[in-house]
């Protein structure tokens, strides 16, 4: 307790208020625990401090908001953070992991038996007076999970993590392989604690091409979108859609578009939780949607959803781009009369100003038949062209 109190006092004078605790674990223990007085949690939350518990069994990063939520829910005088690596050699652990993988099969490409050979299982709990605290008023915490075989994981790559909640609910989230405290781990951001099963299956949309080298089998120099795809790929804005394919004629969904804009901003850190019921923590687009929503670039629907997998229409894209330009403090007052286009009447009332600005800025133009196709779904090739124009001519 004295060490925690001293660390809090020292951190008050630091510009970055982090409390870092590294429990001294001897031998090959699979479990690490840390007990903290509630008073200390309240002090850290009051001073807007972040708590880092680092260990080779797994690490936790808890923001001031999370600490405050934990302290509020605590039923005793202290709380206990516990991270335990489960041994697959134990029959019950192996059976539970196999069952969870089977339930998540719709989100996994590999067979359960194959994946099971390389998973790592880590249970993370926070308790107070015997009561489990599993959620934090919507706030996220970061968990670093160990991997079974570091040779199967590539730093910077995204991997699928199957999450089993206390009530038995199973979901699949995306974690990123990072080197943390000198150890290869998979980082996930979640708003509730559970048992985490880290697989070595990469997330589908991860780039498999070498950085900076475009070698998509479905994109060649004779195609109108070649330069645009090359530009967005080399700029790190758009990735491939599978092994060595770009899928130029595939549709762009809402999650993809906000992720691209998020990358344009160098993927700033997000510390708040999603307000949309269908955007759960840990998805590949979660932080991008939160960022875009916070900055007025996207809106949700009346039922409090975002519908991330819905394909983006050209007028919806115009709206997001115009809001992004406003966010960048770019003058968007210039517009162009679009009444001369054959289908101008089909532009939704709410989108007319967006389309007029996008057309004036040279982003969204008419086709060979003099149509704007406002309700038409934007393809990935069209999106690449529009984004190249945005970066080169507007930003």
């Amino acid at each position: 307790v004295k060490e925690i109190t001293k660390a809090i006092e020292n951190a008050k004078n630091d510009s970055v208020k982090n409390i870092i605790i590294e429990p001294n674990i001897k031998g090959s223990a699979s479990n690490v625990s840390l007990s903290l007085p509630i008073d200390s949690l309240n002090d850290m939350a009051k001073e807007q401090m972040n708590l880092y518990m680092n260990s080779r069994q797994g690490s936790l990063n808890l923001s001031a908001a999370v600490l405050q939520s934990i302290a509020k829910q605590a039923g005793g005088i202290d709380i206990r953070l516990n991270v335990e690596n489960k041994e697959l050699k134990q029959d019950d652990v192996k059976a539970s992991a196999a069952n969870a993988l089977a339930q998540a099969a719709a989100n996994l490409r590999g067979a359960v038996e194959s994946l099971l050979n390389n998973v790592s299982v880590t249970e993370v709990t926070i308790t107070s007076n015997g009561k489990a605290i599993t959620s934090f008023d919507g706030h996220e915490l970061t968990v670093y999970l160990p991997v079974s075989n570091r040779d199967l994981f590539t730093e910077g790559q995204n991997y699928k993590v199957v999450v089993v909640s206390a009530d038995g609910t199973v979901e699949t989230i995306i974690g990123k392989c990072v080197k943390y405290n000198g150890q290869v781990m998979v980082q996930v951001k979640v708003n509730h604690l559970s048992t985490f099963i880290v697989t070595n299956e990469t997330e589908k949309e991860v780039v498999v091409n070498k950085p900076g080298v475009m070698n998509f089998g479905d994109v060649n120099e004779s195609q109108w979108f070649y330069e645009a795809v090359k530009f967005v790929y080399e700029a790190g804005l758009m990735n491939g859609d599978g092994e060595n394919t770009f899928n130029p004629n595939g549709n762009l969904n809402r999650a993809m578009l906000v992720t691209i804009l998020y990358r344009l901003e160098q993927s700033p850190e997000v510390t708040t939780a999603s307000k949309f019921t269908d955007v759960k923590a840990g998805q590949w687009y979660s932080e991008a949607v939160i960022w875009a929503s916070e900055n007025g670039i996207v809106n949700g629907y009346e039922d409090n959803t975002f519908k991330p997998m819905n394909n983006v229409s050209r007028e919806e894209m115009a709206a997001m781009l115009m809001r992004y330009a406003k966010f960048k403090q770019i003058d968007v007052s210039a517009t162009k009369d679009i009444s001369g286009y054959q289908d101008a009447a089909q532009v939704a009332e709410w989108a007319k100003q967006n389309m007029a600005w996008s057309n004036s800025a040279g982003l969204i133009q008419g086709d060979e038949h003099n149509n704007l196709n406002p309700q038409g779904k934007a393809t990935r090739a069209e999106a690449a062209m529009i984004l190249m124009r945005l970066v080169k001519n507007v930003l």
Side-chain angles (χ1 to χ4, degrees):
V1 176
K2 289 182 179 179
E3 291 178 354
I4 294 293
T5 302
K6 184 178 179 181
I8 293 173
E9 288 302 317
N10 291 338
K12 287 181 181 179
N13 300 317
D14 294 338
S15 57
V16 180
K17 297 183 177 182
N18 294 334
I19 302 293
I20 301 174
I21 300 175
E22 298 182 349
N24 186 19
I25 307 299
K26 297 181 180 179
S28 57
S30 61
N31 184 78
V32 58
S33 293
L34 175 66
S35 181
L36 292 170
I38 296 300
D39 288 344
S40 296
L41 254 66
N42 282 322
D43 287 344
M44 284 186 274
K46 181 180 178 182
E47 296 292 333
Q48 292 297 299
M49 294 178 180
N50 305 306
L51 174 64
Y52 293 72
M53 187 188 84
N54 298 334
S55 74
R56 57 180 173 77
Q57 288 82 1
S59 297
L60 303 177
N61 293 1
L62 288 73
S63 67
V66 170
L67 295 175
Q68 187 173 38
S69 177
I70 294 171
K72 183 176 68 176
Q73 298 178 67
I77 61 173
D78 61 5
I79 62 105
R80 180 174 292 274
L81 308 177
N82 191 77
V83 179
E84 182 179 0
N85 302 149
K86 300 287 189 176
E87 290 287 342
L88 277 176
K89 295 177 182 178
Q90 299 176 14
D91 291 341
D92 59 334
V93 174
K94 188 171 185 178
S96 296
N99 180 58
L101 291 174
Q103 290 187 60
N107 297 314
L108 301 170
R109 298 189 301 277
V112 171
E113 296 77 10
S114 176
L115 291 171
L116 192 60
N117 293 328
N118 297 305
V119 300
S120 62
V121 182
T122 303
E123 183 182 37
V124 182
T125 59
I126 298 178
T127 57
S128 179
N129 196 29
K131 171 192 172 184
I133 300 172
T134 58
S135 59
F136 314 97
D137 296 319
H139 299 292
E140 289 187 346
L141 67 160
T142 304
V143 183
Y144 293 88
L145 303 162
V147 300
S148 59
N149 182 348
R150 61 179 298 169
D151 293 335
L152 299 176
F153 291 80
T154 302
E155 191 173 347
Q157 190 84 288
N158 290 342
Y159 294 88
K160 294 180 181 178
V161 179
V162 176
V163 181
V164 185
S165 299
D167 62 359
T169 303
V170 175
E171 62 179 317
T172 305
I173 64 175
I174 303 303
K176 184 175 183 178
C177 181
V178 298
K179 185 165 281 188
Y180 185 77
N181 273 3
Q183 186 178 353
V184 175
M185 290 187 156
V186 169
Q187 176 200 65
V188 294
K189 294 189 177 183
V190 293
N191 55 21
H192 64 281
L193 286 182
S194 321
T195 296
F196 300 92
I197 304 173
V198 178
T199 77
N200 67 321
E201 182 169 293
T202 57
E203 199 274 325
K204 182 180 178 182
E205 294 198 1
V206 170
V207 179
V208 295
N209 298 359
K210 294 181 181 179
V213 178
M214 189 179 75
N215 59 350
F216 298 125
D218 54 358
V219 178
N220 62 68
E221 294 184 25
S222 66
Q223 295 163 312
W224 62 267
F225 49 77
Y226 174 82
E227 288 298 331
V229 172
K230 184 174 185 289
F231 176 84
V232 295
Y233 175 73
E234 292 181 351
L237 300 180
M238 293 183 72
N239 297 333
D241 185 22
E243 292 190 6
N244 298 320
T245 59
F246 182 76
N247 190 19
N249 296 319
N251 292 128
L252 190 79
N253 62 41
R254 288 166 59 83
M256 290 176 184
L257 181 53
V258 295
T259 298
I260 291 166
L261 298 178
Y262 183 57
R263 288 171 182 160
L264 263 175
E265 291 302 302
Q266 305 302 311
S267 303
E269 183 179 4
V270 171
T271 57
T272 57
S274 169
K275 68 179 183 181
F276 301 116
T277 58
D278 57 350
V279 179
K280 295 182 179 180
Q283 301 302 315
W284 57 268
Y285 50 80
S286 300
E287 294 189 358
V289 173
I290 295 170
W291 166 83
S293 175
E294 286 182 339
N295 290 287
I297 296 167
V298 297
N299 299 315
Y301 293 87
E302 291 182 357
D303 59 357
N304 203 32
T305 62
F306 179 71
K307 304 189 190 310
M309 296 299 112
N310 277 17
N311 293 330
V312 176
S313 68
R314 286 164 60 84
E315 64 183 10
E316 287 175 333
M317 189 174 190
M320 289 191 200
L321 295 180
M322 185 172 175
R323 294 184 197 126
Y324 176 68
K326 287 182 178 178
F327 163 75
K328 297 291 288 182
Q329 298 184 333
I330 292 170
D331 183 5
V332 294
S333 60
T335 58
K336 188 175 181 179
D337 182 8
I338 57 173
S339 62
Y341 287 99
Q342 296 279 4
D343 57 354
Q346 295 179 22
V347 178
E349 189 65 33
W350 62 264
K352 286 182 177 179
Q353 185 179 4
N354 306 131
M355 288 294 283
W357 173 79
S358 297
N359 188 252
S360 172
L363 301 180
I364 296 180
Q365 301 172 348
D367 61 16
E368 67 273 18
H369 303 296
N370 198 35
N371 288 317
L372 283 172
N373 300 313
Q375 273 89 50
K377 303 307 179 185
T379 67
R380 287 169 57 83
E382 289 173 337
M385 181 64 74
I386 292 167
L387 288 161
M388 181 174 72
R389 293 169 183 161
L390 176 72
V391 173
K392 289 188 172 184
N393 304 328
V394 177
L395 299 183

